[in-house]
Amino acid sequence: MQACAIHAAKDLRLIDIASPAVLADNEVRVTYGTGGICGSDIHYYMDARVGNFAVQEPLILGHEIAGTVKEIGSAVTDLSVGQPVAINPNLPCLSCDYCLDGKTQLCQEMVFFGSAAVMPHIQGGFREELVVPRRQCVGLPDGFDLAIAAFAEPLAVCLHAVNRADNLLHKTLLVTGCGPIGCLVIQAARLAGVRHITATDVEDTVLDMAKKLGADEVINISTDAERLAQYESGRGHFDAAIECSGNPQALLSCLNAVRPNGTIVQTGMMPPGETPTLINKILSKELSLKGTFRFHEEFDIAVDALVSGRVDVSSLLTGVYAFSDADAAFAAATDRSQHMKIQLRFDVT
C-alpha cells in the first residue's frame, strides 16, 4: 500500500509499505478515509523536526484520521465491517503510574501517530490502511461524514485545554491565536458555558472565522493593539486565557490581561529559548499558568460532540487535496489568509 512520508525538510514522498497480512485478535484493519494536516505535520514538513524531535528516518505523518473498518480481529465484537470510525492517535501503555492515575495524556510510554520523538519513529496515519488495536477506534453512525470525524483529535486537544482552565461557567475568556486550534478552543469554551470570549490574532481572515464560531469580540493586534492594551491596564480584565499561537508576545499579553487569581493555559508550542519569564507578574497577581498536552477521555467526548452536532466544524475545512499533490496541500495549510484546515485523501479526482 502507499503512504505519505517525510524524508527531509520539504521532501515528502509517496512510498510503498507492507500492510500486516494477519490481524491479532484485538486489532482492526481500517481503510483510510481522510486526515487533517496538523501544525506538527507542518513543522515536520518545513523543518524536518518539531522542537527537539528531528526526523532521522522516513516518517509517515498524520494523526487526525478517520476511515472505514475493513476487517476485525476475532475478539472484536462491537465494531462491524463497513462501519466508519474515528481513530485516536494515542496509544498509552495503561500500566505506568500516570495511566493508572487516569492521566493517560502523560503516559511515560505513549505511542502517538507520526512522531519522531523516539527511534525507530512512530509512524503516522497517512497510509491507505491502518491496523490498530480496538481501543484506538471510536465507532461512528453509518454514513457519518469522515471529513467531520477527522476533527475529533484537534477538538479533543481543545476540550482538554478548556478543562485545564477549570470552571469557565459564566466567566470571561481571552483566546490568543485563531487558527484551527484557537477556533476549536472557542467552540469548546462555549460548551463549557463561558460568558464572553475575546479572541486575538494578526490575520483578519481567521478572526472572521473566530467570530463566526462564537467569539464575542475579535481584535487584530497588528492593526488595533490599543484595544487589547485597554484590557491589559490596571490588574487585567479576563478571568482566564488560553494561549493558542505559540507566540511569546501573546503569552505576555495573557499575563497582563488576566486578572488576579486567574488562569492561563498554554496550548501553543513555544519556540525553543523564546519563552518569556515574567515570574513577578505571576507572583503578584497569584496567577495559575498551566500547560496542556494532548487529551484523555476528551477524544470520546469530541466524537460525541461532532456526531450530535453540538460542535459544527464544517466551516473550518477549507481544502481537500490528493496525496499525489501533497506538496501543494502543505503549502496551502501554511497560508492562513486562505485556509484553516486542509485534509488529504487518496481518492480525490
Side-chain angles (χ1 to χ4, degrees):
M1 63 176 174
Q2 286 192 313
C4 189
I6 191 75
H7 290 66
K10 296 185 179 179
D11 183 7
L12 196 63
R13 310 177 197 173
L14 279 177
I15 61 173
D16 292 321
I17 62 171
S19 180
V22 179
L23 296 186
D25 291 347
N26 69 334
E27 288 184 329
V28 179
R29 190 187 307 274
V30 178
T31 300
Y32 179 97
T34 191
I37 296 176
C38 175
S40 62
D41 296 320
I42 293 172
H43 281 297
Y44 280 127
Y45 176 77
M46 297 298 293
D47 306 316
R49 67 185 308 122
V50 174
N52 295 325
F53 305 146
V55 173
Q56 302 177 59
E57 63 180 4
L59 172 66
I60 300 171
L61 299 177
H63 55 265
E64 301 177 6
I65 309 299
T68 304
V69 175
K70 183 177 182 179
E71 183 184 359
I72 57 176
S74 59
V76 178
T77 60
D78 54 349
L79 292 175
S80 58
V81 172
Q83 183 175 2
V85 290
I87 299 180
N88 187 334
N90 285 334
L91 186 64
C93 71
L94 302 183
S95 60
C96 71
D97 290 344
Y98 297 102
C99 285
L100 294 176
D101 195 31
K103 300 172 182 175
T104 61
Q105 73 276 12
L106 302 177
C107 174
Q108 293 176 301
E109 303 294 335
M110 176 69 77
V111 175
F112 186 84
F113 279 179
S115 172
V118 297
M119 278 290 291
H121 295 338
I122 302 168
Q123 301 301 322
F126 287 163
R127 59 179 89 180
E128 288 183 281
E129 287 185 357
L130 299 92
V131 173
V132 296
R134 163 65 187 89
R135 63 186 169 103
Q136 285 188 268
C137 296
V138 179
L140 301 166
D142 288 343
F144 191 75
D145 188 348
L146 294 179
I148 300 301
F151 278 87
E153 193 276 342
L155 179 57
V157 168
C158 298
L159 288 168
H160 186 64
V162 167
N163 283 339
R164 292 286 291 154
D166 298 324
N167 181 12
L168 289 179
L169 184 64
H170 206 60
K171 292 184 178 179
T172 57
L173 177 69
L174 173 65
V175 177
T176 55
C178 294
I181 292 298
C183 284
L184 288 170
V185 160
I186 289 168
Q187 292 182 290
R190 283 297 177 203
L191 285 181
V194 72
R195 174 167 59 88
H196 187 280
I197 299 174
T198 296
T200 67
D201 203 284
V202 297
E203 181 68 54
D204 283 334
T205 303
V206 298
L207 288 169
D208 290 343
M209 183 64 71
K211 185 77 171 179
K212 177 179 179 179
L213 295 178
D216 298 285
E217 176 189 25
V218 296
I219 301 173
N220 187 324
I221 56 173
S222 67
T223 60
D224 197 7
E226 294 80 8
R227 283 176 61 198
L228 182 60
Q230 294 175 4
Y231 290 124
E232 297 178 357
S233 63
R235 307 214 73 192
H237 172 83
F238 298 99
D239 297 307
I242 301 180
E243 202 299 290
C244 302
S245 71
N247 186 305
Q249 186 59 49
L251 178 55
L252 289 173
S253 294
C254 293
L255 291 169
N256 289 325
V258 171
R259 65 181 56 178
N261 288 136
T263 300
I264 300 166
V265 178
Q266 184 62 42
T267 303
M269 189 72 73
M270 288 284 180
E274 296 187 21
T275 306
T277 53
L278 287 185
I279 299 301
N280 288 341
K281 182 75 69 173
I282 296 172
L283 289 174
S284 64
K285 294 172 69 174
E286 294 192 348
L287 297 172
S288 296
L289 177 58
K290 297 183 177 182
T292 181
F293 193 59
R294 296 178 181 152
F295 43 84
H296 175 45
E297 69 273 15
E298 291 93 352
F299 191 86
D300 286 4
I301 296 171
V303 172
D304 181 73
L306 294 171
V307 170
S308 68
R310 289 182 293 123
V311 174
D312 181 0
V313 298
S314 56
S315 58
L316 290 173
L317 179 58
T318 54
V320 178
Y321 287 75
F323 275 101
S324 57
D325 203 17
D327 284 316
F330 274 80
T334 63
D335 184 357
R336 302 179 76 244
S337 68
Q338 298 294 322
H339 290 289
M340 292 294 287
K341 178 61 69 175
I342 299 294
Q343 290 185 352
L344 285 168
R345 301 178 189 171
F346 282 97
D347 59 352
V348 174
T349 57

